[in-house]
Amino acid sequence: MGKKIFTLSLALLAVAVVVFAQKPTERVGDTYYKQFDFTTALQYYGRAIKKDSGNSALRQKIADSYRLMNNWTEAEKWYARTANDAGLKPINKLYYAEALRNNKKYDEAKAYYQAYYNTDTTANAAIKQTIAGLDMVKDLAKDKGIYNIELLSINSPASDFGPAFYKEGRIMFCSNRQKPSGGVGRKDDWTDAPFLQLYESENDGSGNVVGADPMTGRQPNRRFHEGPMSYNKKTDELFVTRSNYVKNRAYTSSDKTVKLKIYRLSYLPDQARWGDEVIEAVPFNNKDYSVCHPTLTADGKTLYFASDKPGGQGGVDLYVSHRQIGGDWSVPENLGTDINTQADEMFPYISEDGTLYFASNGHVGLGGLDVFSTTLANGKWTTPENLGYPINSNKDDFGYIVEADNKFGYFVSNRDGGVGDDDIYKFTKKGIVINAVVYNAKTKDQIKDARVIVFENGIEKGSRLTDKNGAVQFPALPNRNYKFMASKDGFLPATVEAQTQNKPITVQIPLQQQGGLNLEVTVLDKKTKEPLRDANVKVVNMNTQVPVKAQTDENGKAMFEVETGSNYRLEASKDIPNEPNVRYLAVSSTVTTVGKQAPGMVYATLELEKVKKGVAIKVENIYYDLDKWNIRPDAAKELDKLVKILLDNPTLEIELSSHTDCRATAEYNRQLSTKRAESAVKYIISRGVNKNRLVAAGYGESRLVNKCACEGNVKSNCTDEQHQENRRTEFKILKF
């Protein structure tokens, strides 16, 4: 039901007349298929395929019907027959891959994702990302010991989802467990079930929700779909997703379905009930596309929602709108490609600490919808983090909400072992907690509303603001390395690293106020000259040897407070997640503040070169005297640049190779190039590089970079400049 409630909208109104006297045929099944009544359509398709088992187009419709019903077991069986059918569209390979993925057959799924990608590499960047992400599935499927989950007693054999926090520890949710008011005999053709209605559950005083009663009052439980919803305690408003209808009349879109809109109810405290008026909550509701799944910030001023409105990134995207003075809502803004994919993002929830949780089947996950989290850092959404097992499974997992204390909450899943179609689960967080405290390095005062970002193994895991005591908490795992980056207007950013044990730890993060002598370090890509965000910068006072670390912002800049009359060593590096064979080489430099006075600025720029393992890199201007292999002073100057690279990157292992042109015999050239390579390696070792990190190789004329071959009877008409191109020294990275 999770995905269906959105893509379905409401397909119920014009039930076509079918002549039941005629024999069951594919055409009759098509009639029901077009009405989204896949259950009935499959009955006719099943009869038709028995009579015409070779009908490829019919097999396609059967497979699609099961996919649209979320029946991945049957979908896999039928897509197995369509994926390799040359007469059908390549999209079947993708659908087959998705079915395999949802059924935990990840290796087979990867093969078919690749097969689909090969049909159109230009249009499937998201598929490439999915293929790479399947290698992460095993880690995501591990229980890292952060959550305890339990199936709630309020679930029914129907679909129960969309939990929302309500008053006094209660929750609200939507369910199709019974027929709606005034809708006797009516059902959703897609699911063959009654329409969704809103329910309330009580708190038993021990933190448990019990019972499930339909929401009382005249509104909003009426004729068609109601929910999911969002309750805002500050404004006492209820924002509800519901079908586009007024009284008993539903309004269809251009594709003859009824879309979803967001409506609003206000609470009447003097009568202790919700008002009777249900009004459209936002001006951007539209009859031709759905606007749904609302979630409001605690102050009621910002609304996040899902929509398939035109102009998005893919199927369903997440948007944000802000409440203006006077109550009007601003034009919706798409949350962008960091969050939205070519697939579906839906069921957003904004927690009180500013974390945005949402469900997606476009980001790397275990299958179906998975729950992700992201936060705003410097005006940009962080890379969505998959919450992993047990919150996520190979089924649909969505509707994640968490209490203000970040200790417990609820989510929805249709995984095996539940009571009905979709079920509501409660989670309780456990595991290690890291307490980070941010304070003024000079006055020792705690700093409120400082932004703290936590990284695990170089991957951003979350971002939060400190409270009035300068404190913030993050869930963590034992025996892991974490890095914390803190920032606040008026202060220089700071980075602190820590390792967890088997108990909570506290990390102290001092921030230096701006206004003294500051050092601005800019990190660029050496080739493109573009600024590099999230590069690691370390500044070391060469007198005290005290290091200070920071990460660059979106402009490639990191700020440090430095002392006058001192010399500093600068180091910069950058990780490239999920690309083990590609890396930015670390670089170092020095800067002096001798002669500088505060307040003032000192500037430095470091350029990082992106390299790939196994790819040769030419060392420029390495020349030898004719028939010689000793290192000339001009060659030593160039080799010193390579020495610096090796010293800046102490784990790097390389092959240093020498090449000649074709003149002289091949054997002579091989021996000469070998001696030159060995001579260069000996020079590098003499400059303090461990010999175990170097391999010398002489290739002679065997690897010409042009067509200037002249061995034996072959004559070459190449110029001296062309022969010079082949006389070169290169290094190739063997190990990072």
Side-chain angles (χ1 to χ4, degrees):
M1 184 59 121
K3 283 189 287 187
K4 298 169 191 172
I5 185 56
F6 188 93
T7 54
L8 158 63
S9 299
L10 187 65
L12 57 92
L13 300 173
V15 179
V17 176
V18 178
V19 182
F20 290 98
Q22 70 184 99
K23 295 181 179 180
T25 63
E26 180 180 354
R27 184 175 179 181
V28 177
D30 289 346
T31 301
Y32 285 102
Y33 185 96
K34 292 175 182 178
Q35 298 168 28
F36 305 101
D37 189 351
F38 303 114
T39 301
T40 306
L42 282 169
Q43 296 175 9
Y44 286 92
Y45 288 157
R47 298 169 191 170
I49 198 69
K50 290 180 180 179
K51 297 182 179 180
D52 188 7
S53 59
N55 189 333
S56 296
L58 181 54
R59 284 200 298 270
Q60 172 86 72
K61 295 172 188 175
I62 294 174
D64 289 345
S65 295
Y66 282 120
R67 172 175 58 85
L68 293 168
M69 294 173 65
N70 256 17
N71 186 336
W72 292 108
T73 300
E74 290 299 321
E76 178 191 334
K77 296 177 183 177
W78 287 94
Y79 280 124
R81 308 178 192 183
T82 63
N84 298 310
D85 192 326
L88 296 175
K89 294 180 180 179
I91 192 69
N92 284 286
K93 298 183 187 297
L94 173 61
Y95 291 151
Y96 186 38
E98 290 179 344
L100 290 166
R101 180 180 170 193
N102 276 277
N103 292 330
K104 296 185 179 180
K105 299 178 181 180
Y106 300 115
D107 290 338
E108 296 173 63
K110 187 174 182 179
Y112 274 90
Y113 277 122
Q114 185 65 53
Y116 175 67
Y117 177 80
N118 293 340
T119 65
D120 186 1
T121 57
T122 61
N124 291 291
I127 301 302
K128 185 177 181 180
Q129 181 182 2
T130 299
I131 294 170
L134 283 172
D135 294 331
M136 300 168 58
V137 165
K138 290 183 179 179
D139 182 65
L140 291 175
K142 294 178 181 177
D143 188 344
K144 296 181 173 62
I146 298 177
Y147 299 95
N148 279 325
I149 67 170
E150 58 181 296
L151 185 64
L152 295 185
S153 62
I154 63 174
N155 290 299
S156 71
S159 183
D160 305 294
F161 69 102
F165 292 114
Y166 193 34
K167 302 180 179 185
E168 301 167 352
R170 293 177 287 168
I171 67 168
M172 303 180 72
F173 65 96
C174 51
S175 176
N176 60 358
R177 60 183 66 189
Q178 67 182 39
K179 298 171 184 176
S181 304
V184 178
R186 300 185 68 83
K187 65 181 179 65
D188 175 341
D189 288 335
W190 191 317
T191 62
D192 196 33
F195 293 112
L196 296 168
Q197 300 285 273
L198 300 188
Y199 288 80
E200 302 176 26
S201 287
E202 297 293 329
N203 188 311
D204 67 358
S206 300
N208 301 312
V209 291
V210 294
D213 298 315
M215 183 174 172
T216 57
R218 294 179 57 192
Q219 300 288 358
N221 283 339
R222 301 298 292 170
R223 189 172 179 82
F224 301 124
H225 282 311
E226 311 287 354
M229 76 302 294
S230 175
Y231 170 66
N232 185 267
K233 181 168 60 175
K234 182 174 181 178
T235 60
D236 233 354
E237 294 175 306
L238 189 66
F239 279 60
V240 183
T241 302
R242 66 190 326 224
S243 303
N244 180 20
Y245 73 96
V246 177
K247 295 184 178 179
N248 289 328
R249 180 187 176 187
Y251 293 88
T252 60
S253 63
S254 56
D255 65 3
K256 306 303 181 185
T257 63
V258 176
K259 303 301 183 182
L260 301 173
K261 289 185 175 183
I262 297 176
Y263 292 81
R264 178 173 60 85
L265 285 85
S266 294
Y267 194 72
L268 305 177
D270 56 329
Q271 300 179 42
R273 68 178 183 88
W274 289 100
D276 297 329
E277 184 180 12
V278 178
I279 63 173
E280 291 199 32
V282 292
F284 40 82
N285 278 330
N286 195 291
K287 73 179 184 65
D288 283 321
Y289 53 79
S290 287
V291 176
C292 62
H293 304 171
T295 179
L296 288 148
T297 52
D299 60 9
K301 295 180 179 180
T302 303
L303 171 71
Y304 294 90
F305 64 95
S307 177
D308 59 351
K309 68 193 303 285
Q313 310 300 330
V316 181
D317 282 3
L318 298 184
Y319 291 83
V320 63
S321 177
H322 303 282
R323 185 152 18 196
Q324 310 295 306
I325 296 175
D328 294 332
W329 290 94
S330 65
V331 175
E333 302 171 33
N334 189 288
L335 295 193
T337 55
D338 289 331
I339 291 181
N340 292 316
T341 68
Q342 296 177 8
D344 296 327
E345 282 69 46
M346 52 184 70
F347 297 102
Y349 176 75
I350 187 73
S351 67
E352 290 199 21
D353 67 6
T355 303
L356 179 65
Y357 299 92
F358 65 94
S360 171
N361 56 11
H363 292 285
V364 175
L366 294 172
L369 290 169
D370 272 20
V371 178
F372 295 81
S373 67
T374 180
T375 57
L376 272 175
N378 299 318
K380 181 180 174 64
W381 289 103
T382 59
T383 301
E385 176 189 357
N386 188 301
L387 298 194
Y389 183 83
I391 298 298
N392 291 321
S393 67
N394 66 312
K395 303 296 185 180
D396 280 335
D397 307 288
F398 57 101
Y400 180 102
I401 62 174
V402 62
E403 263 286 6
D405 61 8
N406 204 29
K407 292 182 179 179
F408 78 93
Y410 305 90
F411 72 101
V412 181
S413 180
N414 65 351
R415 65 188 65 186
D416 296 337
V419 176
D421 184 358
D422 294 312
D423 294 301
I424 302 174
Y425 291 77
K426 180 180 179 180
F427 66 82
T428 304
K429 287 191 175 183
K430 55 178 182 175
I432 304 296
V433 173
I434 296 179
N435 301 286
V437 179
V438 182
Y439 64 94
N440 187 312
K442 186 174 183 179
T443 67
K444 309 304 179 184
D445 294 332
Q446 288 86 5
I447 301 175
K448 179 185 177 183
D449 292 333
R451 172 68 64 180
V452 181
I453 306 174
V454 62
F455 299 84
E456 180 186 326
N457 297 326
I459 300 175
E460 186 173 322
K461 306 298 286 186
S463 171
R464 289 174 186 160
L465 295 176
T466 56
D467 60 21
K468 64 181 180 180
N469 298 313
V472 66
Q473 289 187 337
F474 293 97
L477 300 174
N479 303 314
R480 296 289 182 93
N481 291 316
Y482 290 90
K483 180 169 63 178
F484 302 86
M485 179 178 176
S487 60
K488 170 77 174 179
D489 289 344
F491 293 83
L492 300 176
T495 301
V496 173
E497 296 183 356
Q499 183 174 22
T500 56
Q501 304 298 324
N502 291 317
K503 59 182 180 180
I505 64 172
T506 298
V507 177
Q508 304 286 341
I509 310 176
L511 295 186
Q512 302 281 351
Q513 275 190 295
Q514 293 178 336
L517 184 61
N518 296 324
L519 168 64
E520 179 185 277
V521 180
T522 303
V523 182
L524 306 176
D525 184 294
K526 184 176 182 179
K527 182 178 180 181
T528 67
K529 307 304 180 184
E530 292 291 322
L532 292 177
R533 178 175 179 161
D534 297 332
N536 304 305
V537 181
K538 182 166 71 172
V539 175
V540 182
N541 186 316
M542 296 174 70
N543 295 327
T544 65
Q545 294 300 311
V546 175
V548 180
K549 299 177 182 179
Q551 283 195 316
T552 55
D553 60 18
E554 64 271 16
N555 299 311
K557 299 183 184 298
M559 295 287 293
F560 300 87
E561 185 177 29
V562 291
E563 298 177 0
T564 59
S566 299
N567 294 313
Y568 290 87
R569 173 183 169 85
L570 314 181
E571 300 175 8
S573 63
K574 180 172 170 59
D575 300 321
I576 305 179
N578 304 320
E579 291 192 47
N581 295 320
V582 181
R583 180 173 295 184
Y584 278 104
L585 293 177
V587 299
S588 68
S589 182
T590 58
V591 68
T592 183
T593 61
V594 175
K596 303 290 184 179
Q597 293 183 347
M601 289 290 299
V602 180
Y603 300 93
T605 299
L606 299 175
E607 296 184 348
L608 302 187
E609 182 176 8
K610 186 187 288 187
V611 295
K612 187 173 184 179
K613 188 186 297 184
V615 176
I617 302 170
K618 185 177 179 180
V619 182
E620 301 290 349
N621 304 318
I622 299 292
Y623 301 117
Y624 298 87
D625 292 330
L626 182 65
D627 293 336
K628 302 294 184 182
W629 53 86
N630 59 292
I631 302 300
R632 296 180 358 183
D634 56 348
K637 184 178 180 180
E638 298 302 320
L639 286 175
D640 283 340
K641 296 178 182 178
L642 181 55
V643 170
K644 185 176 183 304
I645 291 175
L646 290 165
L647 294 178
D648 285 343
N649 299 269
T651 61
L652 211 63
E653 296 180 10
I654 68 167
E655 174 195 87
L656 191 143
S657 59
S658 180
H659 305 261
T660 69
D661 61 32
C662 66
R663 292 174 291 188
T665 67
E667 178 58 25
Y668 176 84
N669 285 334
R670 185 190 64 78
Q671 293 182 16
L672 178 62
S673 64
T674 298
K675 291 177 180 178
R676 287 177 172 175
E678 291 174 345
S679 180
V681 165
K682 288 179 181 178
Y683 175 83
I684 293 173
I685 293 172
S686 74
R687 306 294 287 176
V689 178
N690 190 309
K691 65 179 181 180
N692 295 326
R693 299 172 59 195
L694 302 165
V695 175
Y699 291 104
E701 62 186 81
S702 65
R703 297 187 178 184
L704 301 175
V705 296
N706 52 31
K707 297 181 179 180
C708 295
C710 53
E711 187 68 20
N713 296 325
V714 178
K715 299 291 183 180
S716 173
N717 295 320
C718 291
T719 64
D720 287 341
E721 289 77 10
Q722 289 173 310
H723 283 302
Q724 177 64 54
E725 293 177 12
N726 293 313
R727 299 195 299 273
R728 67 197 189 278
T729 298
E730 297 174 335
F731 75 93
K732 181 171 60 178
I733 295 172
L734 303 176
K735 181 181 178 181
F736 284 124

